[in-house]
């Protein structure tokens, strides 16, 4: 999460560019305060492509204000003020926040830094509290920064949006000012050129132009793509590629239902922790039990409604503390008392909810739409007795899953609610793990070559010890063991990777595959995960050589991710100009004129290509050839076969390629053979 507080260790791992952008956020805040001294600031972190600062200000900042703000920022960078770190006590920090000094240019009596008061309370006991000062601006900040404001050479403000403090709609709504910074003006200019090219390649724009998919919020719902015929052609080509590759690698294919009982996901551990990302349960109730079930449903809804009032009660106490001149000790005692009361009520409410859920469960069967394939595959493993001779067992499926992504996060094909996953689960012994995990990584590399992906990186995500038993399965020994195993495979194979702490899956370490398109945009493509916990929860066992029962390791992998996201990436990667094997319309035969013999010759070519399952259409209308070619170019048809009188007489075909123009006339058999070979070998 963008608002999640970084630890000191995580801050020390900031890259040079992240430090530069973090420092630029402070320079921006300095500039805004010079223009609007009453502004109050919350967060100002670096993010993926720049930085932002959340500001509370009556004046509504708009892009028209950016030039003024940037002018003040340039004055601050020209002043070349040092970033000075000042370590203070908690008491001093609280006093400075109440005086309005933090996040300001001067003290502002009667205008305390309300957000800074809250942020100081989030700093763990014993952790140093520090400010950073540049010129006359000072703010609560743990750093790190560049040495001086003059180190910031190239920056630009990009947008403004609304954001609730801490992302909670019960908190004040702030203005979030976004910007970016680079080491020099050349890199900054290249970045904005890339953004312009990215707009031109936007998969939503190209997808609509090519008629690949449709999203119908009114009837099928937001985030539920409808694949049109041309888009379906791409889907099926990718599925064909995956099936051929996996068959050669020893996978077997399975199919599973689109929903399952609640017990499935409670056993796997996805419930209750993953519940917010799943569609609500469907409960099937017998007619005789419906009246009692409805009463329990009402009681449950009333309990859930009380959840919001607990936060309001706590906020009221916090506001009272801010308004009154209490000592820190008195403030802490008052706050702890309220926290205790809230905790007591919340615990009682949760216990009652659990009891109601148990009663409702006894009256009806609860089913969930499938959010992931792995629990179903575990049940397939358990369906038959297994021996060490059966391992590794590689179960593959193009399973359709459903995830209730927040409406504000839905984005074309990149973030959807129904998704078709190129999924598989490999059940293996510890001795087999290294070769199996490496084989999955090698499969990624094969796909990168096919799709012309030259830049990639594996993000190796490990657990954080503080999350054991909460965010992660509480098995410290197994975490260390499996992380060491993954790390060794990555090192031995020489794969480009970075290690990222505290981002693992709840059941084991994972690899996220980051790729860059031809214009330099980064995408998270797929994942490769180790699971040492869930197979045991389902009681999965195999009989080993010594006749003892053992639990297999499970590798979750999805080299092509989901059709939706991967096709979105490919549309932008190729700008809609797909290679022949993947193009929705591979070939179009165009006639010059409508002479009967000419048309028959063209139709025979179409028929022959379609007999080989080439997606080929014919345009035999008596329109000017220039208009026909222009129409085919607009539709991004990969190969145009132009047939004129001389081609008919010589038994030739004149070939045009999308975006390249005329490439020559050749004998019909040679042209068709070349098309078939290019498709079969999936050549660029």
């Amino acid at each position: 999460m963008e608002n999640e507080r970084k630890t000191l260790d995580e801050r020390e791992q900031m890259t040079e560019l992240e430090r530069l952008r973090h420092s630029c956020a402070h320079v921006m805040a300095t500039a805004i305060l010079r223009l609007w001294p009453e502004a109050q600031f919350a967060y100002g972190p670096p993010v993926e492509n720049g930085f932002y600062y959340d500001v509370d200000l009556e004046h509504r900042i708009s892009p028209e204000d950016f030039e003024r703000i940037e002018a003040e920022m340039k004055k601050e960078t020209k002043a070349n003020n040092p970033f000075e770190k000042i370590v203070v006590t908690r008491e001093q920090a609280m006093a400075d926040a109440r005086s309005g000094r933090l996040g300001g240019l001067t003290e502002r009596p009667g205008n305390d830094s309300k957000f800074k008061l809250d942020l100081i309370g989030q700093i763990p006991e014993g952790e140093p509290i520090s400010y950073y000062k540049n010129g006359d601006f000072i703010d609560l900040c743990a750093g790190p920064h560049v040495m001086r404001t003059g180190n910031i050479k190239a920056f630009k403000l990009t947008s403004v949006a609304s954001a609730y403090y801490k992302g909670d709609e019960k908190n004040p709504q702030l203005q979030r000012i976004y910007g970016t910074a680079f080491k020099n003006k050349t890199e900054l200019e290249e970045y904005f050129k890339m953004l312009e090219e990215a707009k031109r390649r936007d998969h939503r724009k190209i997808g609509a132009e090519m008629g690949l998919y449709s999203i119908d919020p009114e009837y099928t719902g937001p985030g539920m793509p409808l694949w049109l015929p041309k888009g379906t052609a791409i889907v099926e080509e990718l599925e064909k590629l995956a099936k051929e590759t996996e068959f050669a690698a020893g996978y077997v294919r399975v199919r599973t239902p689109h929903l399952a009982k609640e017990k499935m996901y409670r056993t796997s551990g996805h419930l209750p922790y993953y519940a917010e990302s799943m569609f609500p349960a469907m409960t099937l109730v017998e007619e005789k039990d419906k009246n009692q079930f409805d009463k329990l449903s009402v009681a449950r809804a009333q309990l859930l409604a009380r959840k919001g009032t607990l936060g309001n009660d706590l906020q009221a106490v916090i506001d009272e503390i801010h308004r009154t001149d209490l000592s820190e000790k008195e403030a802490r005692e008052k706050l702890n008392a309220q926290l205790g009361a809230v905790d007591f009520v919340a615990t009682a409410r949760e216990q009652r909810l659990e009891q109601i859920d148990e009663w409702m469960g006894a009256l009806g069967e609860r089913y969930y739409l499938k959010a992931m394939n792995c629990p179903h595959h575990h049940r397939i493993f358990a369906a038959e007795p297994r021996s060490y001779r059966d391992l590794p067992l590689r179960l593959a499926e193009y399973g359709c899953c459903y995830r209730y992504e927040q409406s504000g996060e839905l984005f074309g094909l990149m973030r959807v609610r129904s998704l078709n996953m190129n999924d598989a689960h490999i059940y293996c012994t510890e001795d087999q793990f290294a070769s199996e995990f490496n084989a999955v990584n090698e499969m990624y590399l094969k796909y990168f070559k096919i799709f012309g992906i030259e830049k990639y990186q594996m993000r190796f995500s490990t657990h954080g010890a503080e999350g054991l038993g909460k965010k992660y399965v509480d098995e410290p020994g197994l975490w260390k063991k499996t992380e060491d195993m993954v790390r060794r495979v990555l090192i031995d194979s020489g794969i480009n990777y970075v290690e990222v702490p505290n981002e693992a899956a709840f059941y084991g370490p994972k690899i996220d595959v980051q790729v860059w398109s031809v214009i330099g945009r980064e995408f998270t493509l797929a994942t490769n995960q180790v699971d040492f916990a869930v197979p045991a929860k389902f009681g999965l066992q195999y009989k080993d050589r010594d006749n003892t029962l053992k639990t297999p390791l499970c590798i979750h992998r999805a080299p092509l991710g989901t059709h939706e996201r991967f096709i979105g990436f490919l549309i932008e990667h190729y700008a809609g100009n797909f290679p022949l094997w993947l193009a929705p319309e591979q070939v179009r035969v165009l006639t010059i004129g409508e002479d009967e013999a000419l048309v028959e010759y063209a139709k025979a070519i179409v028929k022959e290509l379609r007999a080989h399952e080439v997606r080929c259409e014919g345009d035999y209308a008596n329109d000017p050839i220039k208009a026909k070619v222009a129409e085919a170019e607009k539709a991004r048809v990969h190969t145009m076969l132009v047939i004129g009188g001389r081609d008919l007489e010589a038994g030739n075909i004149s070939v045009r390629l999308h975006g390249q123009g005329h490439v020559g006339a050749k004998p019909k058999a040679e042209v068709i053979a070349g098309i078939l070979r290019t498709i079969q070998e999936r050549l660029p």
Side-chain angles (χ1 to χ4, degrees):
M1 292 174 56
E2 286 185 340
N3 289 331
E4 190 171 321
R5 187 175 185 275
K6 287 183 170 63
T7 66
L8 292 182
D9 286 342
E10 288 172 334
R11 288 177 177 273
E12 286 305 314
Q13 293 170 12
M14 273 191 191
T15 65
E16 183 181 349
L17 186 57
E18 287 173 329
R19 292 176 187 230
L20 180 76
R21 289 170 171 171
H22 186 194
S23 303
C24 198
H26 281 234
V27 170
M28 181 180 73
T30 306
I32 290 173
L33 280 165
R34 287 177 182 164
L35 296 169
W36 299 281
E38 70 276 17
Q40 289 231 16
F41 291 91
Y43 300 100
V47 288
E48 183 178 1
N49 292 311
F51 60 86
Y52 71 81
Y53 226 128
D54 284 346
V55 58
D56 186 15
L57 178 63
E58 186 173 344
H59 170 78
R60 300 305 300 175
I61 293 176
S62 71
E64 285 71 34
D65 294 312
F66 288 175
E67 188 174 341
R68 296 172 62 202
I69 298 171
E70 288 172 351
E72 291 294 333
M73 292 173 70
K74 287 174 184 175
K75 291 178 185 178
E76 178 61 19
T77 58
K78 190 173 181 180
N80 199 25
N81 289 312
F83 281 97
E84 302 175 58
K85 184 175 182 178
I86 305 168
V87 179
V88 298
T89 63
R90 188 176 294 271
E91 291 73 18
Q92 181 65 52
M94 295 291 284
D96 287 338
R98 290 196 183 99
S99 75
R101 183 185 183 209
L102 295 183
L105 301 178
T106 60
E107 290 193 10
R108 297 176 284 187
N111 188 20
D112 65 5
S113 305
K114 53 189 176 183
F115 303 113
K116 305 304 175 183
L117 284 168
D118 183 56
L119 294 173
I120 291 167
Q122 294 180 35
I123 299 174
E125 290 290 343
E127 182 176 308
I129 297 177
S130 63
Y131 308 156
Y132 269 86
K133 182 178 185 295
N134 57 282
D136 49 4
F137 176 69
I138 189 167
D139 200 7
L140 177 74
C141 182
H145 289 279
V146 296
M147 293 295 292
R148 309 182 75 90
T149 59
N151 294 128
I152 303 168
K153 307 290 186 185
F155 58 83
K156 187 174 179 61
L157 302 187
T158 55
S159 63
V160 59
S162 296
Y164 291 106
Y165 179 56
K166 292 184 177 179
D168 188 339
E169 63 184 15
K170 298 183 182 68
N171 289 333
Q173 190 176 66
L174 308 178
Q175 299 181 67
R176 178 167 291 181
I177 318 301
Y178 285 96
T180 192
F182 287 86
K183 295 176 185 177
N184 53 58
K185 288 184 179 180
T186 300
E187 290 185 6
L188 183 69
E189 289 170 358
E190 288 175 350
Y191 172 72
F192 281 99
K193 284 180 183 176
M194 184 272 286
L195 289 185
E196 284 302 312
E197 180 64 12
K199 287 181 184 177
R200 189 180 74 82
R201 292 169 176 257
D202 189 320
H203 76 277
R204 296 167 299 174
K205 173 177 173 288
I206 294 175
E209 290 172 355
M210 296 183 68
L212 302 181
Y213 71 96
S214 173
I215 293 180
D216 185 350
E218 184 178 0
Y219 286 91
T220 55
M224 304 280 194
L226 297 169
W227 289 103
L228 305 180
K230 288 185 177 181
T232 301
I234 301 175
V235 169
E236 291 184 343
E237 284 292 348
L238 293 177
E239 189 165 351
K240 181 181 177 183
L241 169 64
K243 287 180 176 178
E244 289 177 5
T245 304
E246 289 164 359
F247 182 81
Y251 288 74
V252 291
R253 304 204 70 76
V254 295
R255 287 182 179 270
T256 58
H258 288 236
L259 70 168
K261 287 186 175 182
E262 181 178 62
K263 181 179 180 180
M264 175 84 89
Y265 302 111
R266 290 208 177 274
T267 303
S268 70
H270 289 97
L271 286 176
Y273 308 109
Y274 200 76
E276 289 185 0
S277 296
M278 299 175 71
F279 276 82
M282 298 173 280
T283 305
L284 305 180
V285 185
E286 295 289 338
E287 191 66 36
K288 62 183 178 63
D289 297 321
K290 281 188 176 179
N291 187 44
Q292 181 64 20
F293 185 87
D294 290 344
K295 290 179 180 178
L296 289 171
S297 295
V298 171
R300 190 176 192 278
Q302 290 172 341
L303 280 172
L304 288 172
R306 288 178 58 190
K307 183 178 181 180
T309 65
L310 300 179
N312 294 337
D313 295 343
L314 182 58
Q315 186 62 48
V317 171
I318 293 172
D319 292 342
E320 182 185 349
I321 291 171
H322 288 170
R323 286 194 302 269
T324 56
D325 190 21
L326 298 176
S327 68
E328 184 181 357
K329 182 180 178 183
E330 291 171 328
R332 284 183 175 279
E333 288 176 351
K334 193 173 187 67
L335 185 60
N336 287 335
Q338 183 61 27
L339 284 170
V342 168
D343 186 55
F344 176 79
V345 174
T347 301
R349 184 180 64 84
E350 291 300 323
Q351 290 174 345
R352 185 63 172 167
L353 277 172
E354 287 181 11
Q355 189 176 47
I356 289 176
D357 284 345
E358 185 179 340
W359 290 339
M360 291 176 72
L363 291 173
E365 292 278 13
R366 288 162 64 89
Y367 287 81
Y368 282 87
L369 282 172
K370 180 171 63 172
M372 64 292 297
N373 295 308
C374 42
H376 294 71
H377 289 190
H378 295 334
R379 296 310 301 159
I380 288 176
F381 183 97
E384 298 176 340
R386 305 291 180 183
S387 159
Y388 71 92
R389 295 185 182 89
D390 301 320
L391 305 185
L393 178 63
R394 309 177 188 98
L395 303 179
E397 176 180 19
Y398 257 91
C400 186
C401 298
Y402 305 87
R403 294 180 184 171
Y404 193 74
E405 302 286 358
Q406 296 300 309
S407 58
E409 295 178 344
L410 297 175
F411 181 72
L413 295 176
M414 299 301 188
R415 187 67 73 90
V416 294
R417 287 176 173 169
S418 67
L419 40 129
N420 291 274
M421 297 183 68
N422 168 221
D423 216 353
H425 297 88
I426 303 170
Y427 301 88
C428 62
T429 67
E430 285 189 24
D431 291 341
Q432 295 166 337
F433 172 81
S435 62
E436 290 299 313
F437 200 81
N438 186 59
V440 172
N441 290 336
E442 290 295 326
M443 189 178 289
Y444 284 118
L445 299 181
K446 175 184 176 180
Y447 288 145
F448 295 164
K449 185 175 181 181
I450 289 174
F451 295 107
I453 298 170
E454 296 180 353
K455 184 179 178 183
Y456 64 88
Q457 186 179 74
M458 307 291 192
R459 283 172 54 90
F460 173 33
S461 299
T462 59
H463 80 298
E466 66 280 2
L468 289 172
K470 293 171 282 190
K471 186 177 178 180
Y472 305 115
V473 173
D474 193 7
E475 295 281 358
L478 285 173
W479 276 106
K480 183 179 186 310
K481 183 176 182 179
T482 51
E483 286 172 358
D484 286 345
M485 291 165 70
V486 173
R487 192 179 292 110
R488 176 50 50 196
V489 172
L490 291 170
I491 292 171
D492 289 348
S493 61
I495 286 178
N496 176 30
Y497 82 96
V498 293
E499 192 161 327
V500 184
N502 205 29
E503 288 191 10
F506 75 86
Y507 46 64
K510 67 172 181 171
I511 287 175
D512 288 318
V513 183
Q514 305 298 116
V515 298
W516 282 260
S517 70
V518 291
I519 62 166
R521 287 194 69 189
E522 182 181 359
F523 294 80
T524 300
L525 180 64
T527 188
N528 190 9
Q529 303 175 356
V530 185
D531 184 352
F532 58 74
V534 181
K537 291 183 177 182
F538 280 97
L540 305 190
Q541 293 181 323
Y542 67 93
K543 188 172 289 188
D544 207 353
R545 295 174 185 274
D546 59 2
N547 225 29
T548 60
L549 293 175
K550 293 183 179 177
T551 301
L553 277 175
C554 180
I555 298 172
H556 303 236
R557 44 108 288 178
L560 297 179
T562 70
H563 277 152
E564 291 73 17
R565 184 172 182 80
F566 190 51
I567 291 174
F569 165 77
L570 289 178
I571 292 171
E572 299 189 3
H573 183 59
Y574 293 123
N577 304 317
F578 295 97
L580 181 60
W581 71 273
L582 199 53
E585 187 177 345
Q586 294 169 317
V587 179
R588 187 178 295 183
V589 180
L590 313 174
T591 57
I592 302 175
E594 55 179 355
D595 177 78
E596 186 175 345
L598 192 72
V599 171
E600 289 304 315
Y601 181 59
K603 286 182 177 180
I605 294 170
V606 172
K607 184 176 181 180
E608 183 172 352
L609 287 170
R610 291 185 67 84
H612 290 282
E613 298 187 357
V614 177
R615 292 184 291 278
C616 179
E617 303 294 336
D619 183 349
Y620 319 121
N622 190 26
D623 296 327
I625 190 61
K626 284 186 178 180
K628 291 184 177 184
V629 169
E631 181 63 30
E633 288 281 356
K634 183 180 177 182
R636 293 179 171 85
V637 177
H638 184 280
T639 299
M640 288 152 272
L641 304 182
V642 181
I643 311 297
R646 280 183 289 184
D647 297 302
L648 174 61
E649 291 173 7
N652 286 344
I653 299 175
S654 294
V655 181
R656 293 182 63 95
L657 298 180
H658 173 63
Q660 298 180 40
H662 182 69
V663 296
K666 297 178 183 178
K668 182 182 80 168
E670 184 179 338
V671 171
I672 291 176
I675 288 171
L676 297 180
R677 183 178 67 84
T678 301
I679 293 172
Q680 184 178 9
E681 297 180 15
R682 296 189 175 96
L683 299 177

